[in-house]
Amino acid sequence: MSKAARGCVRIVTPVLLLLALNLPTTRCGYQLTGVLDDCFCDVESIEAFNNYKIFPKLQKLQERDYFRYYKVNLKRPCPFWADDGQCSIKDCHVEPCPESKIPVGIKSGNYNKYSSELNDGEHVEACDQANELGAVNSTLSNQSKEAFIAWARYDDAQDHFCELDDELSPDVQYVDLLLNPERYTGYKGPSAWRVWNSIYEENCFKPRSVYRPLNPLAPSIGGENGESFYEWLEGLCLEKRVFYRLISGLHASINLHLSAKYLLEGTWGESNWGPNPLEFKRRFDPVETKGEGPRRLKNLYFLYLIELRALSKVASYFERSIVDLYTGNMEEDRETKNLLLEIFKDTQSFPMHFDEKSMFAGNKKEAKSLKEEFRLHFKNISRIMDCVGCDKCRLWGKLQTQGLGTALKILFSEKEIQSLPENSPSKGFQLTRQEIVALINAFGRLSTSIKELQTFKVLLHENSNIG
Ligand SMILES: *[C@@H]1O[C@H](CO)[C@@H](O)[C@H](O)[C@H]1NC(C)=O
Ligand SMILES: *[C@@H]1O[C@H](CO)[C@@H](O)[C@H](O)[C@H]1NC(C)=O
Ligand SMILES: *[C@@H]1O[C@H](CO)[C@@H](O)[C@H](O)[C@H]1NC(C)=O
């Protein structure tokens, strides 16, 4: 693509967003490219649509039994490097991390069992805390457990086109997502860094010749020609750039959740969670991030539009009477489905869409191999999620990558979806319960991110008024 073709664009230009954050803006300074040209979007419309229309409905939908229980295998070993154990927080010297049974009151007081062994007991404390916050609460009522057996029987009787092998593993368990909200866990440091690093470095189509650090802020050594990170990105074909944007958007979204549901200081023991504007600024403020923050948020919007597009495309699959959202309670199932269809209608009424037709539109053979490469890279990223050292982070990482994977599957199956027979099980295109649950909850997370952004804007605005 020529430089000119990538010029100034009308679309997801986050002018409004930047204004709200009190930033200098240059109207055409953003290198938005390609596909987004086909979408007449502005941030304000997306926000209004999301925050007032979609978000409240999604919240309701996610509380439904069908959507609140996610089947997941959290015990799969990391296929790429030796597991570094549960305790992966920075500077935690204890290996393996002690299963602390000390009551919280004692732990946070002056007495610390480990402080004599280690000069700095704080590390252990931080480690314990990370373990505790990162643990998944696998409590399920007996009633739910019984229901799952019926669900499995029902699902097995369906004519599934393909089975995700994960579902067959004995380690697969149901997790109640409402009991395990995604929020700050203290999981950071080398282990977390390694996961994101390998996603960016090894799975984002990075050409070998280009030295490109995970953090585009790192001193740019450049590639062979000394090119900068963004020059490198611009040089990629549309599809690869899209891939990078999706990953970056996902990363931004996850960081937004952690900033919005932060463990607030001084409340450890009482577990008080809320927005932390400092954390938000650290990750997204244009000055503090040297311009990276707005780019990350832009990618978040981009990801949002992609998943929104997928939802609008898959509507006809669900509109068929043969697809139900089975939990065994007919009344509730019908209501759940109606709510879902209502949300699909909303997504279809939203005029600003990403046009995926321009993806993989090149010559047929090339497009096919690119699509396959895309798929493999993505699959690999979902396997990297098995390397996340904190169960709760792993749970949400897996769910969100599976949700995005499902969205991509939908976008690339448009023809198959259109030609589905009305009243017989489809052979060509099918979604498993797990995929459906992941798709909706992953989109729910993005929707929440957009909503949380608004919260931060208000908070930061208040702060600046006070200051
Ligand atoms: C898990 O959730 C249940 C239900 O809210 C609660 O009673 C229990 O204390 C939780 N367990 C842990 C370890 O937090
Ligand atoms: C759940 O089932 C277990 C074993 O079947 C039983 O021991 C327990 O009392 C049950 N709990 C409730 C709340 O019914
Ligand atoms: C998958 O990811 C791992 C870990 O980052 C990497 O070593 C490997 O090259 C990747 N494989 C593919 C096919 O991208």
Short mmCIF file of all heavy atoms in Angstrom, two decimals, residues 405-445:
data_model
loop_
_atom_site.label_atom_id
_atom_site.label_comp_id
_atom_site.label_asym_id
_atom_site.label_seq_id
_atom_site.Cartn_x
_atom_site.Cartn_y
_atom_site.Cartn_z
N GLY A 405 -10.93 -15.45 19.10
CA GLY A 405 -10.78 -16.52 18.12
C GLY A 405 -12.13 -16.88 17.49
O GLY A 405 -12.23 -17.08 16.27
N THR A 406 -13.14 -16.94 18.31
CA THR A 406 -14.48 -17.24 17.81
C THR A 406 -14.97 -16.13 16.89
O THR A 406 -15.57 -16.40 15.84
CB THR A 406 -15.45 -17.45 18.99
OG1 THR A 406 -14.90 -18.42 19.88
CG2 THR A 406 -16.80 -17.93 18.51
N ALA A 407 -14.69 -14.90 17.28
CA ALA A 407 -15.10 -13.78 16.43
C ALA A 407 -14.43 -13.87 15.06
O ALA A 407 -15.08 -13.66 14.03
CB ALA A 407 -14.74 -12.44 17.10
N LEU A 408 -13.15 -14.22 15.05
CA LEU A 408 -12.46 -14.35 13.76
C LEU A 408 -13.04 -15.49 12.95
O LEU A 408 -13.24 -15.38 11.74
CB LEU A 408 -10.96 -14.56 14.00
CG LEU A 408 -10.21 -13.37 14.62
CD1 LEU A 408 -8.77 -13.74 14.93
CD2 LEU A 408 -10.26 -12.16 13.69
N LYS A 409 -13.31 -16.60 13.64
CA LYS A 409 -13.91 -17.74 12.95
C LYS A 409 -15.22 -17.31 12.27
O LYS A 409 -15.49 -17.69 11.12
CB LYS A 409 -14.17 -18.85 13.98
CG LYS A 409 -15.03 -20.00 13.50
CD LYS A 409 -15.10 -21.10 14.55
CE LYS A 409 -16.27 -22.03 14.33
NZ LYS A 409 -16.32 -23.13 15.32
N ILE A 410 -16.00 -16.52 12.97
CA ILE A 410 -17.27 -16.05 12.40
C ILE A 410 -17.02 -15.16 11.17
O ILE A 410 -17.64 -15.34 10.12
CB ILE A 410 -18.07 -15.26 13.46
CG1 ILE A 410 -18.53 -16.21 14.56
CG2 ILE A 410 -19.25 -14.54 12.84
CD1 ILE A 410 -19.04 -15.50 15.81
N LEU A 411 -16.09 -14.22 11.32
CA LEU A 411 -15.83 -13.30 10.22
C LEU A 411 -15.35 -14.02 8.96
O LEU A 411 -15.62 -13.60 7.85
CB LEU A 411 -14.80 -12.24 10.64
CG LEU A 411 -15.31 -11.22 11.66
CD1 LEU A 411 -14.21 -10.23 12.01
CD2 LEU A 411 -16.52 -10.48 11.13
N PHE A 412 -14.65 -15.11 9.17
CA PHE A 412 -14.14 -15.84 8.02
C PHE A 412 -15.10 -16.93 7.55
O PHE A 412 -14.75 -17.76 6.73
CB PHE A 412 -12.76 -16.42 8.33
CG PHE A 412 -11.75 -15.35 8.62
CD1 PHE A 412 -10.84 -15.50 9.65
CD2 PHE A 412 -11.73 -14.18 7.88
CE1 PHE A 412 -9.92 -14.49 9.93
CE2 PHE A 412 -10.82 -13.17 8.16
CZ PHE A 412 -9.91 -13.33 9.18
N SER A 413 -16.28 -16.98 8.11
CA SER A 413 -17.23 -18.03 7.72
C SER A 413 -18.53 -17.43 7.22
O SER A 413 -19.58 -18.05 7.32
CB SER A 413 -17.56 -18.93 8.92
OG SER A 413 -16.40 -19.38 9.55
N GLU A 414 -18.44 -16.24 6.70
CA GLU A 414 -19.67 -15.56 6.33
C GLU A 414 -20.54 -16.38 5.39
O GLU A 414 -21.75 -16.52 5.60
CB GLU A 414 -19.33 -14.21 5.69
CG GLU A 414 -20.57 -13.36 5.50
CD GLU A 414 -20.25 -11.97 5.00
OE1 GLU A 414 -19.07 -11.69 4.74
OE2 GLU A 414 -21.19 -11.19 4.86
N LYS A 415 -19.92 -16.94 4.37
CA LYS A 415 -20.70 -17.71 3.39
C LYS A 415 -21.40 -18.88 4.05
O LYS A 415 -22.56 -19.15 3.81
CB LYS A 415 -19.78 -18.22 2.28
CG LYS A 415 -19.55 -17.19 1.21
CD LYS A 415 -19.09 -17.88 -0.09
CE LYS A 415 -18.27 -16.91 -0.94
NZ LYS A 415 -16.82 -17.10 -0.81
N GLU A 416 -20.64 -19.60 4.88
CA GLU A 416 -21.21 -20.78 5.54
C GLU A 416 -22.39 -20.40 6.42
O GLU A 416 -23.39 -21.11 6.50
CB GLU A 416 -20.14 -21.48 6.40
CG GLU A 416 -19.07 -22.20 5.63
CD GLU A 416 -17.89 -21.30 5.27
OE1 GLU A 416 -18.09 -20.06 5.18
OE2 GLU A 416 -16.79 -21.82 5.07
N ILE A 417 -22.28 -19.26 7.06
CA ILE A 417 -23.37 -18.84 7.95
C ILE A 417 -24.61 -18.47 7.13
O ILE A 417 -25.73 -18.82 7.48
CB ILE A 417 -22.93 -17.64 8.83
CG1 ILE A 417 -21.80 -18.07 9.77
CG2 ILE A 417 -24.11 -17.10 9.64
CD1 ILE A 417 -21.19 -16.96 10.58
N GLN A 418 -24.37 -17.81 6.03
CA GLN A 418 -25.51 -17.41 5.19
C GLN A 418 -26.25 -18.60 4.60
O GLN A 418 -27.44 -18.54 4.38
CB GLN A 418 -25.02 -16.50 4.07
CG GLN A 418 -24.85 -15.06 4.53
CD GLN A 418 -24.12 -14.22 3.52
OE1 GLN A 418 -23.64 -14.73 2.51
NE2 GLN A 418 -24.03 -12.94 3.79
N SER A 419 -25.53 -19.68 4.36
CA SER A 419 -26.18 -20.80 3.69
C SER A 419 -26.65 -21.87 4.67
O SER A 419 -26.91 -23.00 4.28
CB SER A 419 -25.22 -21.41 2.65
OG SER A 419 -24.05 -21.83 3.29
N LEU A 420 -26.76 -21.51 5.93
CA LEU A 420 -27.22 -22.50 6.91
C LEU A 420 -28.68 -22.86 6.67
O LEU A 420 -29.50 -21.99 6.40
CB LEU A 420 -27.10 -21.93 8.33
CG LEU A 420 -25.69 -21.82 8.91
CD1 LEU A 420 -25.74 -21.09 10.25
CD2 LEU A 420 -25.10 -23.21 9.09
N PRO A 421 -29.00 -24.12 6.77
CA PRO A 421 -30.40 -24.51 6.65
C PRO A 421 -31.18 -24.08 7.89
O PRO A 421 -30.61 -24.04 8.98
CB PRO A 421 -30.33 -26.04 6.56
CG PRO A 421 -29.02 -26.41 7.19
CD PRO A 421 -28.10 -25.26 6.99
N GLU A 422 -32.42 -23.74 7.69
CA GLU A 422 -33.22 -23.21 8.80
C GLU A 422 -33.45 -24.24 9.90
O GLU A 422 -33.25 -23.97 11.07
CB GLU A 422 -34.54 -22.65 8.27
CG GLU A 422 -35.58 -22.33 9.33
CD GLU A 422 -35.09 -21.32 10.41
OE1 GLU A 422 -34.23 -20.47 10.10
OE2 GLU A 422 -35.57 -21.42 11.55
N ASN A 423 -33.83 -25.43 9.49
CA ASN A 423 -34.29 -26.33 10.55
C ASN A 423 -33.59 -27.68 10.65
O ASN A 423 -34.18 -28.66 11.07
CB ASN A 423 -35.80 -26.55 10.42
CG ASN A 423 -36.53 -25.44 11.15
OD1 ASN A 423 -36.12 -25.05 12.25
ND2 ASN A 423 -37.57 -24.91 10.55
N SER A 424 -32.34 -27.68 10.27
CA SER A 424 -31.60 -28.89 10.54
C SER A 424 -30.22 -28.51 11.03
O SER A 424 -29.73 -27.42 10.74
CB SER A 424 -31.51 -29.75 9.28
OG SER A 424 -30.84 -29.02 8.28
N PRO A 425 -29.62 -29.38 11.79
CA PRO A 425 -28.32 -29.05 12.35
C PRO A 425 -27.33 -28.77 11.22
O PRO A 425 -27.35 -29.45 10.19
CB PRO A 425 -27.92 -30.31 13.11
CG PRO A 425 -29.12 -31.17 13.19
CD PRO A 425 -30.04 -30.75 12.09
N SER A 426 -26.50 -27.78 11.42
CA SER A 426 -25.59 -27.43 10.35
C SER A 426 -24.32 -28.25 10.44
O SER A 426 -23.79 -28.48 11.51
CB SER A 426 -25.26 -25.95 10.46
OG SER A 426 -25.10 -25.60 11.81
N LYS A 427 -23.85 -28.65 9.30
CA LYS A 427 -22.58 -29.36 9.26
C LYS A 427 -21.44 -28.38 9.07
O LYS A 427 -20.35 -28.57 9.54
CB LYS A 427 -22.57 -30.35 8.08
CG LYS A 427 -23.52 -31.50 8.25
CD LYS A 427 -22.79 -32.71 8.83
CE LYS A 427 -23.76 -33.87 8.98
NZ LYS A 427 -23.35 -34.78 10.04
N GLY A 428 -21.75 -27.34 8.32
CA GLY A 428 -20.68 -26.45 7.92
C GLY A 428 -20.20 -25.52 9.02
O GLY A 428 -19.02 -25.46 9.32
N PHE A 429 -21.11 -24.85 9.64
CA PHE A 429 -20.72 -23.88 10.65
C PHE A 429 -21.42 -24.20 11.95
O PHE A 429 -22.64 -24.32 12.00
CB PHE A 429 -21.08 -22.47 10.20
CG PHE A 429 -20.72 -21.43 11.22
CD1 PHE A 429 -19.44 -20.88 11.24
CD2 PHE A 429 -21.63 -21.02 12.18
CE1 PHE A 429 -19.10 -19.93 12.20
CE2 PHE A 429 -21.29 -20.07 13.13
CZ PHE A 429 -20.02 -19.53 13.15
N GLN A 430 -20.65 -24.31 12.99
CA GLN A 430 -21.23 -24.59 14.30
C GLN A 430 -20.44 -23.88 15.37
O GLN A 430 -19.23 -23.70 15.24
CB GLN A 430 -21.15 -26.08 14.59
CG GLN A 430 -22.24 -26.90 13.95
CD GLN A 430 -23.16 -27.51 14.99
OE1 GLN A 430 -22.73 -27.78 16.09
NE2 GLN A 430 -24.39 -27.73 14.62
N LEU A 431 -21.11 -23.51 16.40
CA LEU A 431 -20.41 -23.00 17.57
C LEU A 431 -20.71 -23.89 18.76
O LEU A 431 -21.86 -24.29 18.95
CB LEU A 431 -20.86 -21.56 17.88
CG LEU A 431 -20.52 -20.48 16.85
CD1 LEU A 431 -21.12 -19.14 17.28
CD2 LEU A 431 -19.02 -20.35 16.68
N THR A 432 -19.69 -24.20 19.53
CA THR A 432 -19.92 -24.97 20.74
C THR A 432 -20.37 -24.02 21.84
O THR A 432 -20.18 -22.81 21.74
CB THR A 432 -18.64 -25.68 21.21
OG1 THR A 432 -17.67 -24.68 21.55
CG2 THR A 432 -18.07 -26.58 20.14
N ARG A 433 -20.92 -24.61 22.90
CA ARG A 433 -21.32 -23.80 24.05
C ARG A 433 -20.14 -22.95 24.54
O ARG A 433 -20.27 -21.77 24.81
CB ARG A 433 -21.80 -24.72 25.17
CG ARG A 433 -22.15 -23.98 26.46
CD ARG A 433 -22.36 -24.95 27.61
NE ARG A 433 -23.51 -25.81 27.39
CZ ARG A 433 -24.75 -25.54 27.83
NH1 ARG A 433 -24.96 -24.45 28.52
NH2 ARG A 433 -25.73 -26.35 27.58
N GLN A 434 -19.00 -23.62 24.62
CA GLN A 434 -17.81 -22.93 25.11
C GLN A 434 -17.46 -21.70 24.26
O GLN A 434 -17.09 -20.66 24.77
CB GLN A 434 -16.65 -23.92 25.07
CG GLN A 434 -15.65 -23.74 26.17
CD GLN A 434 -14.55 -24.78 26.06
OE1 GLN A 434 -14.71 -25.80 25.39
NE2 GLN A 434 -13.44 -24.54 26.70
N GLU A 435 -17.57 -21.86 22.96
CA GLU A 435 -17.28 -20.74 22.07
C GLU A 435 -18.30 -19.61 22.24
O GLU A 435 -17.94 -18.43 22.22
CB GLU A 435 -17.28 -21.21 20.61
CG GLU A 435 -16.05 -22.02 20.23
CD GLU A 435 -16.14 -22.60 18.81
OE1 GLU A 435 -17.21 -23.15 18.44
OE2 GLU A 435 -15.15 -22.50 18.09
N ILE A 436 -19.55 -20.00 22.39
CA ILE A 436 -20.60 -18.99 22.54
C ILE A 436 -20.40 -18.21 23.83
O ILE A 436 -20.48 -16.98 23.86
CB ILE A 436 -22.00 -19.67 22.52
CG1 ILE A 436 -22.23 -20.36 21.17
CG2 ILE A 436 -23.09 -18.67 22.82
CD1 ILE A 436 -23.44 -21.27 21.13
N VAL A 437 -20.11 -18.95 24.89
CA VAL A 437 -19.91 -18.31 26.18
C VAL A 437 -18.69 -17.38 26.13
O VAL A 437 -18.72 -16.26 26.62
CB VAL A 437 -19.75 -19.38 27.29
CG1 VAL A 437 -19.37 -18.74 28.61
CG2 VAL A 437 -21.03 -20.19 27.43
N ALA A 438 -17.63 -17.87 25.49
CA ALA A 438 -16.42 -17.05 25.38
C ALA A 438 -16.68 -15.80 24.53
O ALA A 438 -16.27 -14.70 24.89
CB ALA A 438 -15.26 -17.86 24.79
N LEU A 439 -17.37 -15.99 23.42
CA LEU A 439 -17.65 -14.87 22.52
C LEU A 439 -18.37 -13.74 23.26
O LEU A 439 -17.98 -12.58 23.19
CB LEU A 439 -18.49 -15.36 21.34
CG LEU A 439 -18.93 -14.32 20.32
CD1 LEU A 439 -17.74 -13.82 19.52
CD2 LEU A 439 -20.01 -14.87 19.39
N ILE A 440 -19.43 -14.10 23.94
CA ILE A 440 -20.24 -13.09 24.61
C ILE A 440 -19.50 -12.46 25.79
O ILE A 440 -19.49 -11.23 25.96
CB ILE A 440 -21.59 -13.69 25.08
CG1 ILE A 440 -22.43 -14.08 23.86
CG2 ILE A 440 -22.34 -12.74 25.99
CD1 ILE A 440 -22.76 -12.91 22.94
N ASN A 441 -18.85 -13.29 26.57
CA ASN A 441 -18.14 -12.72 27.72
C ASN A 441 -16.94 -11.89 27.29
O ASN A 441 -16.61 -10.89 27.94
CB ASN A 441 -17.72 -13.81 28.69
CG ASN A 441 -18.86 -14.22 29.61
OD1 ASN A 441 -19.24 -13.46 30.50
ND2 ASN A 441 -19.44 -15.39 29.38
N ALA A 442 -16.27 -12.30 26.23
CA ALA A 442 -15.13 -11.52 25.76
C ALA A 442 -15.61 -10.16 25.25
O ALA A 442 -15.01 -9.13 25.55
CB ALA A 442 -14.39 -12.26 24.64
N PHE A 443 -16.70 -10.19 24.53
CA PHE A 443 -17.23 -8.90 24.08
C PHE A 443 -17.71 -8.08 25.27
O PHE A 443 -17.55 -6.86 25.31
CB PHE A 443 -18.36 -9.10 23.07
CG PHE A 443 -18.85 -7.82 22.47
CD1 PHE A 443 -18.00 -7.05 21.68
CD2 PHE A 443 -20.12 -7.34 22.74
CE1 PHE A 443 -18.43 -5.83 21.16
CE2 PHE A 443 -20.56 -6.13 22.21
CZ PHE A 443 -19.71 -5.38 21.42
N GLY A 444 -18.27 -8.76 26.25
CA GLY A 444 -18.66 -8.08 27.48
C GLY A 444 -17.49 -7.37 28.15
O GLY A 444 -17.63 -6.27 28.68
N ARG A 445 -16.33 -7.99 28.07
CA ARG A 445 -15.13 -7.37 28.65
C ARG A 445 -14.75 -6.09 27.88
O ARG A 445 -14.38 -5.10 28.47
CB ARG A 445 -13.95 -8.35 28.63
CG ARG A 445 -14.08 -9.58 29.49
CD ARG A 445 -13.73 -9.32 30.94
NE ARG A 445 -14.73 -8.51 31.62
CZ ARG A 445 -14.47 -7.70 32.65
NH1 ARG A 445 -13.27 -7.55 33.08
NH2 ARG A 445 -15.43 -7.03 33.23
#
